[in-house]
C-alpha cells in the first residue's frame, strides 16, 4: 500500500494543519512540508473525503515565526499569521549550535538551553489559540540527565512537565536516551521513535555485498544502555547480538564522569563477520571507536557505526583516522539534528534522511489516525529485505 492510498487519509483531519519549524529546524522542516504538500495535491484528484475540507490543500503548511533578540541577548517569540483552530506541529533541534546571536556586542552560539527557551516563546506566542499543539523534538532536551544518581537536578523531567503545563498535548521524539522519562508526564502523549527501518534501508542502498543473515553479520551494543535497541535490531533481522559493557573507575571523575577502564565483550564468535554498532548518539566518538578496536581484535570484518544522532563534539579527526586505518567502514547518522558540511563530505559517511518519515507521522496524526504501524516497522523491514533479496 502506497502512502497516497493509505486508509488513514479518509479520516477527517483533527484541525487545519500548521507546521512551525523553528530556525534550528528550517532545513528538515522545508523537506517535511514539501512531502505533505505533494501528497495532499495528489489526493485532490482521488476525491478523498479529507481533500474536500477547506484548508486541507495548501501551497505550504509552514507557519512563519521568528525569535528576534535585543542587544542584551533577551528575546521574544513572534508568530506572523493566525493559528486559531490549527493542529500545530512545532519542530525544534536543540543541538543546532551553528546559529548565533549577539550579546552586548559578543557573538554567542545557541546552546540547547537557548533553543528550548525559543520553543517556549513560540508556544507562548500561540496564546492558547491553536486547537492542539504537538512538539517534535528529535533530540530530547536534557535527555542525558534523565535520572538522579546523586544530589542533582532532573532536567528532562522538568522540561516535559513545563511543556505540558504550557498546553502541549503531545511530544514526539526519536530514540530517547531512556524512554522511562515519559513517567514524568503520565497523562500526556509521549512517543519515542526508532529509526531502525531507515538504517536498514540506507545500508541496503549504499553498501554493496551486504548480507543480513547470522552467518555474515552481527549487531553489537556498545554498552548495557543500548542493549534493548540492539536486541530489536537483531531480532527483526534474525541475526545474533553481542554486547560490550564498560568497566569504569568509580574512584575517579574526569570531565564530570567516571573514566572507562576497559570494554568487556559478551557474545558469540565474530571472526569474518560484518558488524553494526548501534547506539542512540555519537558524542566525542571515543567510546564507539574503542569498541571498534575490540571488535577488530576479535577479527571482525567490516564495521558499521549507526547512531541516531551524530553530535561529533570533538570534530571528525578521530573518525578520519579510524577510516584511513581500516578500523571502521561506514558511519550512519540521521539528519534529525544539525549536520556540518564537513561531515556530509566524508566518503565514509551515510546520511539517513528522516524527513519523509516525519512527514508521514505528521500527516497521519493530523488525520487523528493511529501511528502504531509507523512506530513498529517490522513488516516494512521484512518487505524491504525481500525487495533486496535478503530473504
Amino acid at each position: 500500500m502506497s502512502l497516497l492510498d493509505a486508509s488513514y487519509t479518509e479520516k477527517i483531519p483533527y484541525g487545519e494543519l500548521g507546521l512551525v519549524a523553528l530556525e534550528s529546524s528550517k532545513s528538515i522542516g522545508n523537506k517535511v512540508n514539501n512531502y505533505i504538500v505533494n501528497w495532499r495535491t495528489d489526493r485532490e484528484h482521488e476525491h478523498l473525503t479529507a481533500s474536500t475540507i477547506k484548508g486541507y490543500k495548501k501551497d505550504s503548511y509552514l507557519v512563519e515565526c521568528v525569535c528576534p533578540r535585543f542587544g542584551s541577548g533577551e528575546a521574544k517569540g513572534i508568530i506572523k499569521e493566525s493559528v486559531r483552530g490549527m493542529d500545530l506541529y512545532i519542530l525544534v533541534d536543540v543541538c543546532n549550535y551553528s546559529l548565533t546571536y549577539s550579546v552586548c556586542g559578543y557573538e554567542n552560539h545557541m546552546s540547547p538551553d537557548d533553543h528550548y527557551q525559543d520553543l517556549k516563546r513560540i508556544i507562548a506566542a500561540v496564546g492558547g489559540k491553536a486547537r492542539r499543539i504537538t512538539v517534535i523534538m528529535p533530540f530530547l532536551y536534557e535527555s542525558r540527565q534523565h535520572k538522579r544518581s546523586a544530589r542533582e537536578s532532573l532536567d528532562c523531567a522538568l522540561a516535559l512537565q513545563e511543556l505540558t503545563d504550557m498546553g502541549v498535548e503531545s511530544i514526539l521524539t526519536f530514540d530517547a536516551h531512556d524512554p522511562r522519562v515519559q513517567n514524568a508526564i503520565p497523562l500526556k502523549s509521549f512517543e519515542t521513535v526508532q529509526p531502525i527501518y531507515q538504517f536498514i534501508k540506507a545500508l541496503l542502498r549504499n553498501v554493496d555485498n551486504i548480507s543480513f543473515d547470522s552467518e555474515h553479520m552481527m549487531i553489537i551494543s556498545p554498552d548495557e544502555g543500548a542493549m534493548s535497541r540492539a536486541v530489536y535490531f537483531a531480532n527483526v533481522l534474525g541475526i545474533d547480538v553481542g554486547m560490550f559493557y564498560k568497566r569504569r573507575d568509580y574512584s575517579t571523575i574526569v570531565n564530570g564522569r567516571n573514566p572507562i577502564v576497559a570494554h568487556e565483550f559478551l557474545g558469540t564468535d565474530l571472526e569474518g563477520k560484518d558488524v553494526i554498532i548501534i547506539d542512540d548518539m555519537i558524542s566525542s566518538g571515543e567510546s564507539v571507536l574503542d569498541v571498534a578496536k575490540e571488535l577488530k581484535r576479535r577479527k571482525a570484518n567490516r564495521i558499521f557505526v549507526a547512531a541516531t544522532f551524530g553530535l561529533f563534539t570533538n570534530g571528525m579527526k578521530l573518525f578520519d583516522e579510524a577510516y584511513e586505518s581500516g578500523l571502521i567502514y561506514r558511519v550512519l547518522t540521521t539528519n534529525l539534528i544539525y549536520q556540518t558540511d564537513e561531515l556530509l563530505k566524508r566518503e565514509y559517511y551515510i546520511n539517513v534522511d528522516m524527513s519523509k518519515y516525519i512527514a508521514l507521522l505528521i500527516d497521519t496524526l493530523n488525520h487523528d489516525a493511529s501511528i502504531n504501524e509507523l512506530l513498529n516497522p517490522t513488516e516494512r523491514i521484512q518487505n524491504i529485505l525481500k525487495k533486496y533479496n535478503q530473504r
Side-chain angles (χ1 to χ4, degrees):
M1 184 173 65
S2 69
L3 298 178
L4 299 181
D5 61 13
S7 58
Y8 73 85
T9 57
E10 291 294 344
K11 297 191 71 174
I12 301 299
Y14 186 83
E16 183 181 344
L17 176 60
L19 302 179
V20 181
L22 272 66
E23 189 65 29
S24 59
S25 295
K26 287 291 184 186
S27 177
I28 196 169
N30 287 328
K31 290 183 179 180
V32 169
N33 177 63
N34 290 337
Y35 275 117
I36 297 176
V37 168
N38 291 335
W39 293 341
R40 295 195 173 187
T41 298
D42 290 342
R43 285 175 202 151
E44 185 181 32
H45 306 297
E46 298 179 11
H47 307 291
L48 299 181
T49 304
S51 64
T52 62
I53 297 173
K54 182 181 179 182
Y56 184 79
K57 176 184 173 295
K58 294 181 178 180
D59 293 331
S60 176
Y61 298 94
L62 290 169
V63 176
E64 189 177 357
C65 67
V66 291
C67 290
R69 290 185 178 266
F70 302 100
S72 60
E74 297 166 290
K76 60 181 177 181
I78 303 173
I79 294 179
K80 295 188 174 182
E81 54 190 278
S82 174
V83 294
R84 185 177 293 275
M86 278 191 173
D87 186 16
L88 284 183
Y89 295 82
I90 306 177
L91 286 83
V92 59
D93 173 14
V94 298
C95 296
N96 192 338
Y97 59 87
S98 69
L99 301 178
T100 61
Y101 61 93
S102 178
V103 181
C104 299
Y106 294 95
E107 185 179 54
N108 192 37
H109 284 262
M110 290 187 72
S111 70
D113 292 342
D114 292 316
H115 290 298
Y116 176 63
Q117 291 299 323
D118 278 357
L119 169 63
K120 292 195 295 180
R121 290 178 178 113
I122 293 301
I123 295 171
V126 171
K129 303 301 190 295
R131 188 172 184 186
R132 180 173 67 181
I133 297 177
T134 299
V135 169
I136 301 178
M137 186 186 294
F139 187 97
L140 187 61
Y141 173 70
E142 290 289 1
S143 57
R144 297 167 83 175
Q145 185 50 34
H146 61 283
K147 64 181 180 180
R148 179 178 284 152
S149 55
R151 194 178 298 278
E152 55 192 31
S153 58
L154 290 170
D155 295 32
C156 189
L158 284 171
L160 293 176
Q161 290 180 351
E162 191 172 22
L163 290 175
T164 55
D165 287 345
M166 293 182 73
V168 173
E169 186 66 28
S170 179
I171 295 171
L172 193 65
T173 189
F174 286 78
D175 214 346
H177 196 62
D178 188 340
R180 289 174 295 182
V181 75
Q182 67 187 290
N183 293 336
I185 49 170
L187 301 181
K188 295 294 182 179
S189 173
F190 178 97
E191 302 290 354
T192 177
V193 187
Q194 295 284 348
I196 300 296
Y197 170 73
Q198 286 75 17
F199 280 139
I200 293 172
K201 184 165 68 173
L203 284 168
L204 289 169
R205 287 181 174 179
N206 292 280
V207 181
D208 295 329
N209 303 320
I210 192 166
S211 298
F212 288 106
D213 60 66
S214 56
E215 290 183 22
H216 300 94
M217 181 172 285
M218 191 169 179
I219 304 297
I220 300 295
S221 171
D223 54 43
E224 59 275 21
M227 195 59 189
S228 61
R229 185 182 300 107
V231 167
Y232 176 72
F233 203 151
N235 284 348
V236 294
L237 293 174
I239 59 181
D240 292 330
V241 63
M243 184 193 85
F244 282 88
Y245 66 91
K246 298 170 183 175
R247 195 145 50 85
R248 294 181 180 272
D249 179 3
Y250 286 99
S251 64
T252 309
I253 296 177
V254 179
N255 294 328
R257 61 182 183 178
N258 303 108
I260 298 169
V261 176
H263 293 271
E264 305 290 352
F265 180 67
L266 300 174
T268 57
D269 183 28
L270 286 164
E271 186 171 355
K273 292 183 180 180
D274 290 338
V275 295
I276 302 175
I277 305 172
I278 183 76
D279 209 350
D280 60 336
M281 71 179 74
I282 297 172
S283 186
S284 66
E286 292 178 3
S287 180
V288 75
L289 293 178
D290 284 343
V291 167
K293 290 174 185 175
E294 292 295 324
L295 292 170
K296 278 296 185 184
R297 197 164 64 83
R298 290 168 173 80
K299 301 181 181 179
N301 188 24
R302 296 180 297 184
I303 296 178
F304 301 88
V305 179
T308 307
F309 307 108
L311 300 175
F312 301 104
T313 54
N314 290 354
M316 301 304 301
K317 184 179 178 182
L318 287 176
F319 286 89
D320 291 343
E321 293 172 351
Y323 174 68
E324 289 165 7
S325 66
L327 180 60
I328 59 172
Y329 184 70
R330 293 289 185 269
V331 175
L332 298 85
T333 66
T334 71
N335 64 337
L336 291 169
I337 62 171
Y338 171 68
Q339 297 167 301
T340 63
D341 291 335
E342 178 189 14
L343 171 64
L344 295 172
K345 290 175 183 176
R346 293 299 193 270
E347 62 179 322
Y348 57 84
Y349 178 70
I350 298 175
N351 179 25
V352 182
D353 188 0
M354 299 294 293
S355 55
K356 187 175 183 180
Y357 191 32
I358 293 176
L360 186 54
L361 286 166
I362 291 174
D363 198 34
T364 306
L365 288 170
N366 179 238
H367 283 86
D368 215 21
S370 171
I371 59 172
N372 185 61
E373 289 185 8
L374 297 175
L375 299 179
N376 299 288
T378 304
E379 184 178 346
R380 287 184 296 145
I381 290 171
Q382 296 307 317
N383 288 338
I384 198 168
L385 289 172
K386 290 175 184 175
K387 178 181 176 181
Y388 283 86
N389 300 315
Q390 295 284 336
R391 288 292 178 269

